[in-house]
Amino acid sequence: MGESKRRKDNLGDDYGKEERLYPWLPLTKKQAEDAYKLTTRGAWIGIGLLAFTWITIRFIGPGFGWWSVN
């Protein structure tokens, strides 16, 4: 008997379905990976916005005379 048939017999109805991250959590490994990619991209966007805001407050605003930084 081949390995795939043995695996199919052991898994039964779950054969061919994506594996869950945790048995008690309705989240597949693919969904968890996609969420990780999304949050990583969001974090980098936040870092970029923070840097842009800091540069604006520290250099651009005072350079145009909008306000002064002490």
Side-chain angles (χ1 to χ4, degrees):
M1 188 173 195
E3 180 61 28
S4 66
K5 286 185 180 183
R6 228 180 271 122
R7 196 172 27 238
K8 185 176 181 180
D9 288 343
N10 287 340
L11 293 176
D13 291 338
D14 292 334
Y15 183 75
K17 291 183 182 176
E18 288 192 52
E19 188 176 348
R20 290 185 173 218
L21 191 60
Y22 295 107
W24 50 269
L25 186 67
L27 187 68
T28 64
K29 288 187 177 183
K30 176 69 173 145
Q31 289 171 331
E33 183 180 315
D34 291 342
Y36 175 78
K37 287 180 183 178
L38 179 67
T39 56
T40 302
R41 185 177 301 125
W44 280 112
I45 290 170
I47 291 168
L49 289 173
L50 178 67
F52 176 74
T53 303
W54 181 80
I55 290 169
T56 301
I57 291 171
R58 183 64 181 100
F59 299 110
I60 297 174
F64 284 117
W66 296 339
W67 58 80
S68 63
V69 177
N70 294 329

